Amino acid sequence: MVEPLSLLAGAVTTYIIPKALEKVGEKVGEAALAKSGAAIQATRKAVQEKLQATHTDGVLAIAEAEPTETNLKLLETILLTQIQQDQQFAAQLQSLMQQIQAQSPGLQAVLDTVRVKGNVEVGNVEQVSETGVAEQIVGRNLGVGGDLTIGDVTQKQ
């Protein structure tokens, strides 16, 4: 089971690195930047200040310069460590993520950037967008070292 703080670190990384947001999908990425630019900038500033205070800001610079999967994962790992060690920082990022998600078009993702060494079985998946403005993803950037079985997949907008 993925813990909520890992999800938070992943979401923060996606939003503060513009190239990562572009990979989420052009329509969704552009709309998210337009509607929540201020909240995204506030999130990036909070992360930058925290990483500078802990002398780990080089990781952010590397991820921005070269947003490879490895560099983004390293940034996510450093962020997760900072979030786990600082409750106030974690609360600040959660609040900013809520603002971004409230202002942005929907992104519904199931099994995004998952690494599994054994076998995986996922039941039926249904994604429904009430607003009609959403990107729906099932299984992106997967690394499975065994068998992957997914039930019926339904996506509606």
Side-chain angles (χ1 to χ4, degrees):
M1 179 176 198
V2 178
E3 68 179 80
L5 293 179
S6 294
L7 297 175
L8 177 61
V12 169
T13 299
T14 298
Y15 280 109
I16 66 169
I17 304 295
K19 294 288 183 196
L21 191 57
E22 286 173 16
K23 290 178 185 178
V24 169
E26 257 181 60
K27 285 183 189 173
V28 173
E30 287 173 15
L33 286 172
K35 291 185 177 183
S36 22
I40 291 171
Q41 288 305 315
T43 304
R44 188 190 178 292
K45 184 177 183 212
V47 167
Q48 186 174 27
E49 289 173 356
K50 181 64 172 176
L51 295 181
Q52 284 173 341
T54 59
H55 307 291
T56 54
D57 51 314
V59 174
L60 177 59
I62 291 168
E64 287 177 323
E66 286 188 55
T68 63
E69 184 177 342
T70 301
N71 291 344
L72 293 174
K73 202 67 176 157
L74 179 59
L75 174 60
E76 190 176 321
T77 301
I78 297 292
L79 272 175
L80 178 59
T81 301
Q82 300 301 331
I83 290 167
Q84 289 171 332
Q85 293 176 355
D86 185 341
Q87 296 284 350
Q88 187 176 357
F89 181 59
Q92 179 185 19
L93 290 181
Q94 284 175 326
S95 174
L96 288 164
M97 286 295 99
Q98 287 171 350
Q99 286 177 36
I100 291 169
Q101 290 168 352
Q103 297 166 348
S104 300
L107 169 63
Q108 298 175 335
V110 176
L111 299 176
D112 186 11
T113 314
V114 175
R115 302 287 176 262
V116 179
K117 292 185 180 178
N119 299 327
V120 179
E121 190 169 324
V122 178
N124 297 336
V125 176
E126 181 175 11
Q127 294 178 318
V128 179
S129 171
E130 301 294 330
T131 64
V133 182
E135 181 173 359
Q136 298 171 322
I137 298 166
V138 176
R140 175 174 64 182
N141 299 319
L142 297 177
V144 180
D147 297 325
L148 171 63
T149 305
I150 300 176
D152 295 333
V153 175
T154 305
Q155 296 178 314
K156 297 178 187 175
Q157 285 197 26

